[in-house]
Amino acid sequence: MPASPRLADYAVHVEQSRGRRYPEAPHPYRDDFQRDRDRIIHSRAFRRLENKTQVFTNRISDHFRTRLTHTIEVAQISRTIAAALQLNEGLVETLALVHDIGHPPFGHSGERALDLAMRKHGARFDHNLHALRIVERFEQRYASHPGLNLTFEVREGIIKHSHDYSPEEYPELAEYFLAQRPPLEAQLIDLTDEIAYNTADLDDGREARLLRLDEIRREISLFERCFRQVEAEFSNVSDKLKFNEALKRMLDRMVTDLIENTRHRLRESGVKTLEDVRHWSVRLAAFSPGVDAERAQAKRFLSEHLYHSESLRPQKADGEKIIHELFTYWIEHPAALPAGYQAQMATEGPARVVCDYIAGMTDNYILGLYRKLTGRAVGKQS
Ligand code: MG
């Protein structure tokens, strides 16, 4: 593979990758990170994202994001930022495409319910660690090895993109240098994820008529500034168009700030190489303090007015109930699990096996199983 001359020294250079668990011959046309990206796209877990909740379970509009379209938006934003910062676009795109692959059905309420069920068995559910299990073990596509055999840097990014795991608590993750910062390519993902959902959820929330333009304008100062600009430039267009244009500018403002502020922090820190990035005391990819405060304001608004709204409570309660009941059912009736899962019981223990089984399901699939096993339907599925 040719070297990558446009990459900064602080970027991850594919030719210096720590490689795969099972060595493979190089590909003539794609470097290792591009191959990892393609392996993710061709995985079953990736296709299932189409039917996993982002925010809305009841599909009252075809325009709402699913976890798949959200993922594609995160990938798009991440590539722009990676290119501007001379980071490895192939690695960033791969990490963006894989970042939500470990999510169970029913979005965050599903995650909470599964974690609650696992705690009763002295364990936890964590979607990043689950994503690692998916790519290392559950995807069966290659005759020569289990899982997708992804490069070290992609596996490291999967677990380290959103938070730090302590080496004492997770000795099984020791190979991923838990005491060090992840490369900038991984650091970006959590921030681009936020840019994507803080804007998309305003859009979908308004489409669902759960959020009103006047309250968004009143409570999110970054949106309000963008909206005023748009009003001054386009007085004769509909509110809907002004909203869309303002939202686009809000997204652009956050992306630009993330690029410029990260560049500024790199300059100030004197960080030159990937090793410097890894050993720096904090993550260097960051919004400026002003935009970060506005980001937090938007996130708080969405949390209060959308994620924890009365209107979404029934769908969340249904999701939690289904997961709780089915988890309990399979713990009590392990013989009802598919043969492949039963075979894992001896090594993994019943709770982890049931957890893995449920976490892999799409919303539709688990709803269908619930109906079949209990004879009861839940919620309005349109
Ligand atoms: Mg996400």
Side-chain angles (χ1 to χ4, degrees), residues 182-228:
L184 288 161
E185 283 82 351
Q187 294 186 25
L188 277 185
I189 301 300
D190 203 37
L191 306 171
T192 52
D193 188 22
E194 274 219 29
I195 294 175
Y197 68 67
N198 280 338
T199 49
D201 293 349
L202 289 176
D203 192 17
D204 287 354
R206 187 161 186 268
E207 170 98 9
R209 300 179 193 286
L210 297 180
L211 302 176
R212 292 198 324 267
L213 178 59
D214 62 321
E215 63 187 5
I216 295 173
R217 290 188 60 182
R218 196 174 54 240
E219 295 195 37
I220 304 180
S221 49
L222 177 53
F223 180 87
E224 173 63 3
R225 274 208 314 283
C226 295
F227 197 87
R228 282 182 188 217

Side-chain angles (χ1 to χ4, degrees), residues 54 67 70 74 99-100 193:
Q54 181 65 18
R67 218 162 259 286
H70 158 73
V74 173
H99 90 279
D100 268 354
D193 188 22

Side-chain angles (χ1 to χ4, degrees), residues 20 31-41 46 71 74-75 78-79 88-101 135 148 150-151 153-155 157-158 161 185 189:
R20 307 182 185 282
D31 74 29
D32 278 348
F33 296 146
Q34 292 167 334
R35 288 175 88 182
D36 283 1
R37 173 198 59 203
D38 301 346
R39 287 172 191 203
I40 301 297
I41 290 174
F46 185 75
T71 292
V74 173
S78 302
R79 282 200 318 269
N88 191 311
E89 268 186 79
L91 177 57
V92 166
E93 187 178 12
T94 309
L95 293 178
L97 291 174
V98 78
H99 90 279
D100 268 354
I101 217 165
V135 301
L148 301 179
L150 301 176
T151 53
E153 291 73 15
V154 172
R155 284 179 281 125
I158 286 174
H161 74 264
E185 283 82 351
I189 301 300

